Structures are given as structure tokens and as C-alpha cells.
Amino acid sequence: MTEEKYPLVIDDGRIESMQEYLSPEELYQDLIKRVRKYHPSDDITLIEKAYHTADEAHKEQRRKSGEPYIIHPLCVAIILADLEMDKETIAAGLLHDVIEDTIITYEEICKEFGEEVALLVDGVTKLQKLKFEVNGSIDRLEMQAENLRKMFLAMAKDIRVILIKLADRLHNMRTLEHQPPESQQRIARETLDIYSPIAQRLGISKIKVELDDLSLRYLEPEIYFDLVDKIAIQKTERERYIQDIVDEVSKHIASAGIKAQIDGRVKHFFSIYKKMKNQNKTLDQIYDLFAVRIIVDSVKDCYACLGVIHEIYKPMPGRFKDYIAMPKANMYQSLHTTLIGSSGQPFEIQIRTYEMHKAAEYGIAAHWKYKEASDGKKVEVQEEEKLVWLRQILEWQRDMSDNKEFMNLLKSDLDLFSDSVYCFTPTGEVKNLPAGSTPIDFAYSIHSAVGNKMVGARVNGKLVTIDYEIKNGDRVEIMTSQNSKGPSRDWLSVVKSTQAKNKITQWFKSELKEDNIIRGKELLAAYCKAKTINTLEIMRAEYMDALMAKYGFKDWDSVLAAVGHGGLKEGQIINKMLEFYERDHKKQITDEEVLEEIGQNRQILPRSESGIIVKGIHDLAVRFSKCCNPVPGDEIVGFVTRGRGITIHRTDCVNVINVPELDKPRLIDAEWQTEVSNTGKYMAEINIFATNRSGLLADISRVLTENNIDIQSLNTRTSKQGIASMTINFEISGKEELARIMEKLRSIPNVQDIVRARG
């Protein structure tokens, strides 16, 4: 029996993966075999040339698994062939890493394969030549945001870019076992947050369900393998139960004279996991694990089947969805109904036509399949409806220079997509909005001008409040007035859709930019005055340029405006400029000065209970400052305090940065012991800045509680602009744990920024 190279459950429309190790040449022959199943001609010259070029370019390279690198682009091309993509896309799949990882250039690809293939390859090539460094380390958020921005721009020109990227990500996820644990977690999280939702947006369930399951495998391995084991135990019983339903349904459908293809399956693991988590249930308590799919020739047959099914089984109230009459935003169409089986166990039936099934499996990729036209060329069918969200993302890219804000909006928008509500305009047009949306969300979904001029709304002919929660089937009418002064900041805590929040925020940024610039200047000046900081020393052009690059702004007025409307805190700006200034003007303290100040022999203190090693001091008390709360992993410095020993500060602490010249000899080198007890607890203080909303504090508290963080104190206030500022003190074991907690807090909707207190 051959060892499974890429072990996966082949179920629920998943793309078939390679089941045994094949040599590159064998994989290439398998690729050609798959292409010829749907290719209208025998011309594979372009694909063959791309394979030989990629093979030669990657010949000295190996993957982390030890395989020849060419295995990866070949498997990517095979996934694209399973989606029945055109020859240009398959060639680009074979070449997708050559610009990034070899000496081959874009110009060479363009010359050898044409501009179409070159643009596809360039679209999935990462921006690794740019520097994304903060304090000497890679800023992954900045790098991720810029790469995604580039990819979305390329997608707008040619949607096949994302299909190649999804195939690339799918094969990387299949072979993720060869990556170190931290990379597995990071890649799986990005897949679940970005790529799986994009696959869903494009309607490609063949890729989406596998990305979900593989992400779960690495993010929650215990839960994943527990699900696999428990479902496998019941396999025989489950298959018998499903087959009984399929047989019974087939008999009645045939009796009704309807031609149909009927099969049954178990829902995929991630779907079951989400249901268990959302409903707080165990696997034994989840009953509708099964789904039966009926595929027929026509829409008329779909509804005829539904009638037959409801005669056989009792439908569960409120569990019928007609996605044929009202398709999902990704144009998915099907009838869904949940029924009670003869044994009393619920199960789901999905009814659709063959065309609908093809669209559900392949999504937008179905329209890049080869089709024979009268002139012998392929016919490309555009599906503009599926790409509305892409145009929205491109709008954000133009409007947002802050990469963090862009990433938060992107993740929030992709996440909200899964739960939708359907409503109608007065003319009968269907609008698909996130569940919980209000008339404000509806207004901005029509046009920014409608939202900005909105003064009220009617739902089903009756006046409603602006925070009314739209329900399925509601007919919504927006009332506008030219005398309206624009949106209120209170709306930000009411709206649900990312699109509406972004457009309201952009209105305030553009309409009040001059006011925000003035206010930003005032806030910076007031902060400097309160901290006795000389603005002339730190407000230098090179420091301003560095800050603009860090936060992604094009000019200094935009930075001032961001401070003015609360997007950035004045302390963030000034403290960073102080850091630049101190870096350039740091005074070198000699050992003699230190010895003279503390009157001791220069030595290194042995292991201490505090976990600190201090140079030039012995047998004095060491304590941690409360102004900056250093934790293991931070760069630290000691300050000699007469009569009270040594106080340990972070090196970026404002009180350290602003030490008067006369007291600078009191600063003394300090470092953490190589081995600091993992059981030790240290106080940390963070400041959270967020757009205020109902439930924000509860979400933040839940994240801390779920991670066993002991909160010592929490203070919060909300500005007139609707910006909530929270200061939280809690115990932590070290810098790594603190970074992990801060990253989880950043993922909470509406959180704009998190910084550690610096005095």
C-alpha cells in the first residue's frame, strides 16, 4: 500500500489531492491528462514550455519537505486543471514563483509567454523587495497588507490572479506539516481570515471547504483530530443512515417522474466545528450533520422535488431557504430545507440544477472553462455581480493609507459576509446586507450620497428609527434632504456593514480635514507642553518622513488630521519622534562615570529573585517601574535612585527618554537573566483605542478571560468623536505572551490601535 503523500478526506466537493508520491515528470503527465479531459484542442505547447522553464529555473531548489521545488508549481497547476482553467492560467500556475524565487524577470516572462501570462504571474508575486521593518524586525502586518493590496489591484485587472493564488495557498496548506509550529499557526490564521472567505465570495466551494478544514487542523489540532476520530467511529452507521435516506428519496422522486441525481454526505469538519462553537454544543448534540443533495435538470424540477420531499418528511419550522429566488451575494443558488427523518434525526436536503451545482462548486472559475464558439476561440463570461465586493475593496485602498485600518476593514468585511439579510428597494431590487444591518447600512449600500443626506427611513411603509434591525423581506425606503449636515458620529456605533462604517469615517476625514489638521497641531503642542518636550528639537523633516512611512501617510497634514479625528494618538507621534531624536543624540556614559555615581566596584550581579542582571551595582534592591511596566523580553535600563536602590524601566519609557542631562549618569545597563522563571508574573499596561460600540468592553474582557489573564485595573473613556480609550493593567509572563494577547485584541471589530504605556 502506498503511503499517502497528501492525506485528505475526499468529500463535500473537495478537489482530489495527490494520493501518492510522483516524480515531477509523472506529475506533469498527470497534469496533461487532466487538461486534455476538458481542453477543446490538442495544443499544449504553452503549458509544456511553461513546465520546462519552471523546472529549469527551480532545479537547484528544494521545499522544506525535501522534495524538488518543481513539485509545488506542478501541484498548483493540477488544482487549476481540476477547476478546468484555460491554458494561460495553467501556464501562469507553473510559473507563479519564478519571478519571486529565481533570477527570471517579468520582462523575460513577457517575452517568452506573452503579456497575459506575465501579468498573471506578476499578480501573485509578493513584494519581498520592499523593506517592512520596525526596530530591526519584519513588520508582518505591513508586509501582509501591501501584498494583499497588490493582489487586489491585479485581481481587478484579471480575476484569474486570485484563482492562482487560491490554488497556491491550497497546496501550501496541504503540505503545511513541514513548516515550524509558529508558521503553521500564522499561515492557517491568514488562510481562515483572508483566503477562505475570498474563495467563498467567488463561490468556489471546492477550494473553500478544504481551506477551512486544513486551517482548523493547525489552529485547533485537538478539536480537529477529535472530530475526525469521533466521526470515523460512526462511519458505518452513518453511511447506512444516509444511504437509507437516499434510497427513500430516490424512490419517491422517481415515482413523481422527475429525473435526478441524488447523493448524501456528512458536512465538513469546519462547518461542524462552527456549529458546535456557536451553539455551545458537543458533537453528540449536533444532529443535522448529514446533507442529501438532489441535482435536477430545471428550476421547475427543483420546486417539484421540494413538494415531494415535504410530503415524505416533516420540515423543521424556519429552516427553509430559497436561494434560487434570492441568490447569495456570490450568486450561489439552491433550495435548502431541514427535515426530520424517520428515526427522529434531523438532516438537510439541498436541491439545485446541474448548472447551479457547477456554479456552486467552481464559482467564478466556471466561466473561465474552455467553451467552443463559432470562431473556435474561447468565450469569456463576466459575472459582475460577484465582483461588487472587489470594487469596494479597491475603493478602500484608494481612501486608506493606514495599512492596519485597511486590514481590519478587510477582515471584518470578509467575516460579515457569512451571515446575510435580504431586503428590497422601493423598486424591488434585492439588497444583500450583513445580518443586523440598519437603514443606515441600506442607505450607504445604495450610494454614499444617499447615506450622507439621509434624514430618516420607512420600512414596509412605516417610519422606523435609524437603529431598526432590518429583517429578511423588508422593503426599505430612505428619506433624504439636501439640507442634511451629513452623518453623525453616533452612526458608527449603530451600523453593521464595513462599507457603511468606512464611508462615514471617510466623510468626516474629508469634510472636516482642515479642522482635524488644526486640532491635530493643538493636541501635539499640548502634549509636548505637558511633558516639557522641546518641539523644535524633535519636529525634523527626517523624523516626519519616517513616521509617514511607518503609518502609511503621504503628507504631514494627513498625519495631523489622523491625530485630530482620533485615528492616531498624539503620544504615539511624539514618543516615536523622541525615540528617533534620542537614537541620534544618545550620550555615551563611561564606566568611570557610573562607578563614580554609585560608589561600587564594577561587577555583574549573579542570579537574583527579580530575574535582572545589573552592571555596576551589588546588593541593592531592584524594583520595576510602574510608569512603563517592563516584562521579560523588553529592552531595559536601570536608574539609580538614592535610598531606594535600582528602578528598572523599558528603554523606550518616556521618563527614561526625558531624563535631564544632569541625571543621565544614573542610567545603568541592565538585562534579563538568560533563564527567567516561566511562572513569574509581571505587570503590563496597554492602551486600547477603538471606535465605540455596544459590547466592545465585553469583547475585550472576554478575550482576556479566555486567555487566563488576570485584570488588575481597567479605565475607559469615550471622546465626543466616538473614540473609546481604555487603559488596562494585567499580569503577564513575558513579552511573547503580551504580543500574543495584543494581537488577539487587535482582531476585535472596531479596535483601531493598541500601544503599551510608556510613562
Side-chain angles (χ1 to χ4, degrees):
M1 181 177 176
T2 53
E3 180 185 355
E4 288 192 352
K5 187 67 181 174
Y6 309 110
L8 282 173
V9 179
I10 303 175
D11 192 12
D12 195 20
R14 293 173 177 82
I15 293 174
E16 182 182 353
S17 57
M18 301 306 300
Q19 293 298 301
E20 59 183 342
Y21 182 84
L22 298 175
S23 69
E25 188 57 36
E26 289 171 320
L27 275 175
Y28 173 67
Q29 293 304 326
D30 183 66
L31 168 65
I32 297 304
K33 181 181 175 183
R34 293 173 190 242
V35 170
R36 282 188 165 140
K37 283 182 181 178
Y38 65 89
H39 203 294
S41 73
D42 291 329
D43 183 13
I44 57 158
T45 309
L46 187 71
I47 297 173
E48 186 175 25
K49 185 178 179 182
Y51 165 61
H52 290 303
T53 300
D55 190 32
E56 178 64 25
H58 293 297
K59 68 179 180 181
E60 302 298 331
Q61 297 174 350
R62 295 261 166 187
R63 303 194 81 211
K64 289 187 183 296
S65 62
E67 298 171 330
Y69 194 89
I70 190 63
I71 294 283
H72 170 62
L74 274 167
C75 287
V76 169
I78 286 171
I79 293 170
L80 292 168
D82 284 341
L83 291 173
E84 300 186 13
M85 297 301 295
D86 59 355
K87 64 182 180 182
E88 289 79 13
T89 308
I90 295 195
L94 288 165
L95 297 165
H96 78 274
D97 275 337
V98 295
I99 296 178
E100 186 176 326
D101 294 336
T102 76
I103 60 172
I104 293 179
T105 64
Y106 171 84
E107 289 73 22
E108 289 173 313
I109 297 290
C110 199
K111 180 180 177 182
E112 293 296 323
F113 297 93
E115 189 175 0
E116 184 178 0
V117 172
L119 286 171
L120 292 175
V121 174
D122 184 61
V124 292
T125 300
K126 293 178 184 174
L127 299 170
Q128 291 192 333
K129 292 181 180 178
L130 298 182
K131 298 293 183 184
F132 300 98
E133 293 191 1
V134 176
N135 296 329
S137 61
I138 296 294
D139 189 329
R140 289 198 176 275
L141 179 67
E142 292 288 320
M143 186 165 65
Q144 181 191 40
E146 288 300 331
N147 281 321
L148 285 171
R149 284 176 183 266
K150 178 178 185 285
M151 185 182 74
F152 286 127
L153 286 171
M155 282 169 62
K157 297 175 184 175
D158 196 324
I159 197 65
R160 290 175 293 177
V161 166
I162 190 57
L163 299 176
I164 298 169
K165 188 62 185 176
L166 288 173
D168 175 42
R169 179 52 59 108
L170 178 55
H171 185 251
N172 282 332
M173 289 297 295
R174 287 176 177 176
T175 56
L176 200 56
E177 63 194 76
H178 302 293
Q179 292 283 353
E182 61 273 15
S183 295
Q184 291 176 348
Q185 290 271 320
R186 175 177 53 80
I187 294 168
R189 172 52 57 194
E190 182 185 55
T191 300
L192 201 59
D193 286 347
I194 304 294
Y195 292 102
S196 176
I198 287 176
Q200 183 177 358
R201 280 282 175 112
L202 297 174
I204 313 173
S205 67
K206 287 176 78 72
I207 286 181
K208 188 249 191 276
V209 295
E210 193 175 336
L211 290 178
D212 281 343
D213 282 356
L214 288 168
S215 297
L216 180 64
R217 176 180 174 179
Y218 292 101
L219 291 174
E220 300 286 354
E222 290 184 9
I223 294 173
Y224 175 83
F225 288 109
D226 186 53
L227 273 177
V228 172
D229 291 341
K230 286 180 178 177
I231 290 175
I233 290 170
Q234 305 166 356
K235 183 178 180 182
T236 305
E237 179 186 341
R238 181 187 74 226
E239 288 177 347
R240 188 184 307 116
Y241 175 76
I242 295 175
Q243 192 58 50
D244 287 345
I245 294 174
V246 169
D247 291 343
E248 190 171 9
V249 169
S250 299
K251 183 175 70 176
H252 285 83
I253 294 294
S255 298
I258 304 170
K259 182 183 175 184
Q261 175 187 318
I262 304 172
D263 57 56
R265 63 185 176 85
V266 176
K267 293 182 178 178
H268 64 286
F269 298 128
F270 185 74
S271 173
I272 298 170
Y273 163 73
K274 274 211 310 184
K275 188 163 289 191
M276 290 168 60
K277 186 176 180 182
N278 294 339
Q279 298 178 11
N280 196 25
K281 292 181 178 179
T282 63
L283 182 64
D284 296 334
Q285 295 171 312
I286 301 292
Y287 296 114
D288 54 341
L289 298 175
F290 315 105
V292 173
R293 186 177 290 148
I294 302 174
I295 306 176
V296 295
D297 291 325
S298 66
V299 173
K300 178 183 175 183
D301 287 343
C302 289
Y303 289 101
C305 281
L306 181 68
V308 172
I309 296 304
H310 281 185
E311 283 182 7
I312 311 171
Y313 303 104
K314 185 178 180 179
M316 290 183 68
R319 296 298 298 273
F320 169 68
K321 294 176 182 176
D322 187 346
Y323 293 121
I324 293 179
M326 298 177 68
K328 289 186 178 183
N330 63 1
M331 306 312 292
Y332 171 87
Q333 288 184 290
S334 190
L335 297 177
H336 288 197
T337 181
T338 302
L339 310 154
I340 304 295
S342 54
S343 64
Q345 188 163 354
F347 66 96
E348 184 182 68
I349 283 188
Q350 301 170 358
I351 309 169
R352 60 182 71 153
T353 66
Y354 286 96
E355 196 63 33
M356 291 173 191
H357 181 63
K358 200 172 290 183
E361 295 285 284
Y362 294 95
I364 204 162
H367 297 277
W368 286 98
K369 294 180 178 183
Y370 275 95
K371 297 177 174 27
E372 288 292 344
S374 57
D375 60 356
K377 296 180 180 178
K378 66 181 181 185
V379 177
E380 297 171 6
V381 182
Q382 298 296 330
E383 279 196 313
E384 286 297 319
E385 296 89 342
K386 287 188 181 179
L387 302 180
V388 170
W389 64 277
L390 176 57
R391 290 198 296 272
Q392 178 179 303
I393 289 171
L394 293 174
E395 284 180 21
W396 296 346
Q397 291 196 186
R398 286 193 297 270
D399 295 340
M400 285 181 202
S401 52
D402 187 339
N403 278 333
K404 187 169 181 294
E405 185 181 4
F406 169 71
M407 287 299 296
N408 286 339
L409 274 173
L410 177 63
K411 289 179 182 179
S412 175
D413 181 66
L414 290 171
D415 182 54
L416 285 172
F417 172 76
S418 55
D419 297 314
S420 301
V421 63
Y422 298 89
C423 52
F424 299 92
T425 67
T427 59
E429 180 187 352
V430 178
K431 285 290 179 182
N432 184 2
L433 299 171
S437 289
T438 66
I440 306 173
D441 294 286
F442 183 89
Y444 279 103
S445 74
I446 297 171
H447 198 278
S448 299
V450 176
N452 292 338
K453 295 296 181 181
M454 174 180 166
V455 292
R458 290 189 183 92
V459 174
N460 303 325
K462 296 180 180 179
L463 285 171
V464 295
T465 57
I466 60 170
D467 60 352
Y468 169 84
E469 192 170 306
I470 295 173
K471 300 175 180 61
N472 275 325
D474 278 348
R475 183 172 173 272
V476 185
E477 180 184 356
I478 302 298
M479 296 180 289
T480 61
S481 171
Q482 291 304 313
N483 296 324
S484 169
K485 295 181 179 179
S488 163
R489 287 195 182 272
D490 294 337
W491 290 8
L492 288 169
S493 60
V494 174
V495 295
K496 186 72 173 178
S497 67
T498 310
Q499 179 185 23
K501 288 177 185 176
N502 180 49
K503 288 183 176 179
I504 293 168
T505 303
Q506 291 303 320
W507 186 88
F508 281 106
K509 286 182 179 179
S510 60
E511 293 294 318
L512 305 176
K513 184 170 183 179
E514 293 303 319
D515 292 342
N516 285 330
I517 291 172
I518 294 169
R519 176 168 168 73
K521 287 180 180 177
E522 292 172 349
L523 287 170
L524 292 178
Y527 187 90
C528 288
K529 185 176 180 181
K531 300 286 186 178
T532 61
I533 298 170
N534 187 338
T535 54
L536 293 176
E537 287 184 341
I538 63 171
M539 289 292 179
R540 299 188 177 185
E542 60 267 31
Y543 302 162
M544 291 180 179
D545 289 342
L547 267 170
M548 286 187 284
K550 174 178 173 57
Y551 292 110
F553 290 104
K554 295 177 182 176
D555 53 59
W556 188 247
D557 278 351
S558 297
V559 177
L560 295 173
V563 174
H565 68 68
L568 288 173
K569 297 298 292 181
E570 55 271 25
Q572 286 177 263
I573 302 300
I574 297 302
N575 291 337
K576 183 55 68 175
M577 298 187 92
L578 274 170
E579 191 177 303
F580 294 148
Y581 178 81
E582 288 296 325
R583 178 197 62 197
D584 293 344
H585 298 80
K586 188 174 182 181
K587 183 187 176 214
Q588 298 297 318
I589 306 174
T590 66
D591 288 342
E592 288 73 25
E593 288 176 307
V594 174
L595 289 171
E596 182 181 348
E597 175 63 27
I598 62 179
Q600 298 289 339
N601 292 324
R602 184 175 181 274
Q603 56 190 306
I604 295 180
L605 198 67
R607 293 184 183 278
S608 65
E609 292 182 2
S610 66
I612 299 293
I613 298 174
V614 181
K615 293 182 180 178
I617 195 66
H618 180 64
D619 286 343
L620 282 183
V622 173
R623 62 192 183 91
F624 297 98
S625 71
K626 293 183 179 179
C627 57
C628 61
N629 292 308
V631 299
D634 287 331
E635 292 185 9
I636 53 174
V637 66
F639 185 79
V640 180
T641 309
R642 289 190 179 92
R644 289 193 294 167
I646 305 293
T647 304
I648 302 299
H649 294 258
R650 299 206 323 260
T651 54
D652 63 346
C653 176
V654 172
N655 291 326
V656 169
I657 293 171
N658 294 321
V659 168
E661 285 296 323
L662 288 174
D663 286 333
K664 284 200 173 179
R666 294 179 180 276
L667 294 174
I668 185 168
D669 290 342
E671 61 187 39
W672 299 97
Q673 287 179 179
T674 306
E675 297 177 8
V676 179
S677 172
N678 292 328
T679 60
K681 290 293 182 182
Y682 299 82
M683 192 62 65
E685 179 176 313
I686 62 172
N687 296 317
I688 300 177
F689 306 101
T691 306
N692 196 30
R693 62 171 171 83
S694 176
L696 176 64
L697 182 58
D699 289 347
I700 290 171
S701 299
R702 184 168 59 254
V703 167
L704 294 172
T705 303
E706 287 175 351
N707 287 273
N708 299 316
I709 298 299
D710 186 12
I711 302 174
Q712 299 296 311
S713 67
L714 189 153
N715 295 299
T716 182
R717 61 184 176 85
T718 304
S719 68
K720 293 179 181 179
Q721 291 77 31
I723 301 300
S725 303
M726 298 183 191
T727 301
I728 307 178
N729 285 274
F730 51 85
E731 290 185 337
I732 209 82
S733 62
K735 191 174 182 181
E736 287 186 4
E737 185 180 11
L738 179 58
R740 179 170 56 81
I741 296 300
M742 289 173 69
E743 189 60 32
K744 290 187 177 182
L745 290 170
R746 283 192 179 95
S747 68
I748 295 173
N750 287 43
V751 170
Q752 295 181 356
D753 199 12
I754 303 177
V755 295
R756 289 181 65 186
R758 295 179 56 212

